[in-house]
Amino acid sequence: MDEIKIKVNAKINLSLDITGVREDGYHTLDMLMSSIDIYDVIAAKSSKSSAVTMDGKSAPRDNTATKTLQLLGERYGIAMQVDIVKGIPFSAGMGGSSADASGVLFCASKLYGIPLEELMPIALKVGCDVPYMCYGGGARVSGVGEVVAPVEIPQTSLVVVQTMAGASTKEIYKKYDEVGGDKEGKYFNVLEKSAIMLTPDIAKAKRDLLRFTDTVFMTGSGSAYVGIFDDGESAEKCAEILRNDNIFAKAAHTQSVGIEII
């Protein structure tokens, strides 16, 4: 095999708690996560030099896929040409950047015969969600992202809505350290309070979803919100209505895997 094409599913945080702060400043987490069927498509082939294109344009050097390729080259001396077609919205808290990094690692594993488990140190170096995104499905993720324990999550219909991009993840964690967060109910996110304080208008997505369902929560550090529905038909109707007044609104379902070969 010298080339491969995959789908990398987005993730949502069904719950997100912060359990402490390490001496190095990293926050320790306790998160219940699930893959959903909103995804990026990644095509990769072995090459003599590495390059990443995203939606037809060269990806910047600080892109997570580019960083991952650089680390793979330094560690294993391998190179790939990678093309990414985005389907996961930017700055949404759905793991879009982590999806691209995990996709590159998955492709390298398949093309060069490197066990995926062996690549986890690189995954964690790129981002705390990347080790989970390499496998996906339902999982309890803790520590700084290095502990991933599979959890069975029933297939669930949902709608993801994003009104606008929010503040940076770094700024949201900084604000959390100042004001703390709230834990209420089965679905909660302790970063929501900070995210809304920094960018109040992201909460429009929450208000929109609450017109259709009582179960609404923010994913990741925002700015997307997730609404849980009883069935796919209700979710599709909601997404269709909200699509015109938000930058992203789409019905989806939870998935048992994070990456699929096309």
Side-chain angles (χ1 to χ4, degrees):
M1 179 186 291
D2 59 4
E3 58 183 289
I4 188 173
K5 192 174 186 179
I6 62 174
K7 294 193 304 185
V8 187
N9 289 322
K11 62 86 177 174
I12 58 171
N13 294 86
L14 300 168
S15 65
L16 189 159
D17 194 12
I18 294 176
T19 57
V21 182
R22 303 195 316 186
E23 290 185 2
D24 59 9
Y26 283 96
H27 293 76
T28 54
L29 305 165
D30 179 20
M31 305 180 289
L32 182 61
M33 303 171 76
S34 178
S35 301
I36 61 172
D37 53 352
I38 295 170
Y39 54 84
D40 290 354
V41 175
I42 299 178
K45 59 183 178 181
S46 54
S47 177
K48 293 182 179 179
S49 61
S50 288
V52 179
T53 59
M54 183 173 291
D55 292 334
K57 299 178 181 179
S58 294
R61 280 191 287 182
D62 63 350
N63 178 271
T64 53
T66 304
K67 288 181 180 178
T68 304
L69 267 178
Q70 181 181 346
L71 292 170
L72 284 167
E74 292 171 359
R75 174 67 177 83
Y76 296 97
I78 63 176
M80 297 189 297
Q81 298 286 316
V82 176
D83 179 60
I84 301 170
V85 178
K86 294 296 294 180
I88 304 171
F90 292 96
S91 301
M94 298 169 65
S97 295
S98 297
D100 299 337
S102 66
V104 169
L105 291 170
F106 184 92
C107 291
S109 173
K110 294 298 183 183
L111 294 180
Y112 292 93
I114 307 167
L116 194 56
E117 301 80 23
E118 188 178 312
L119 298 176
M120 288 305 100
I122 292 177
L124 194 60
K125 193 170 185 177
V126 177
C128 67
D129 285 338
V130 180
Y132 160 75
M133 296 291 285
C134 287
Y135 299 99
R140 173 77 63 181
V141 181
S142 56
V144 291
E146 79 280 14
V147 182
V148 181
V151 174
E152 186 172 345
I153 293 176
Q155 189 177 70
T156 303
S157 298
L158 54 93
V159 175
V160 180
V161 177
Q162 183 188 28
T163 297
M164 59 180 290
S168 72
T169 298
K170 182 178 179 180
E171 290 301 313
I172 290 169
Y173 273 94
K174 182 179 178 181
K175 177 61 72 173
Y176 169 85
D177 289 337
E178 297 173 4
V179 302
D182 301 319
K183 292 189 286 185
E184 296 181 4
K186 178 181 178 182
Y187 304 99
F188 67 89
N189 187 327
V190 298
L191 295 176
E192 181 181 11
K193 179 179 178 180
S194 302
I196 292 176
M197 289 180 72
L198 291 169
T199 319
D201 288 346
I202 68 168
K204 177 187 176 297
K206 182 177 187 177
R207 295 192 295 271
D208 283 352
L209 281 166
L210 284 170
R211 291 159 44 197
F212 300 90
T213 174
D214 293 332
T215 307
V216 179
F217 51 92
M218 191 181 82
T219 180
S221 58
S223 58
Y225 279 82
V226 180
I228 301 295
F229 288 76
D230 292 333
D231 57 82
E233 184 178 356
S234 299
E236 289 286 355
K237 288 179 179 178
C238 169
E240 184 177 355
I241 293 169
L242 298 184
R243 196 167 291 132
N244 294 329
D245 201 28
N246 293 280
I247 63 171
F248 186 88
K250 190 168 185 177
H253 295 87
T254 53
Q255 299 291 296
S256 59
V257 295
I259 298 177
E260 304 170 65
I261 297 174
I262 299 175

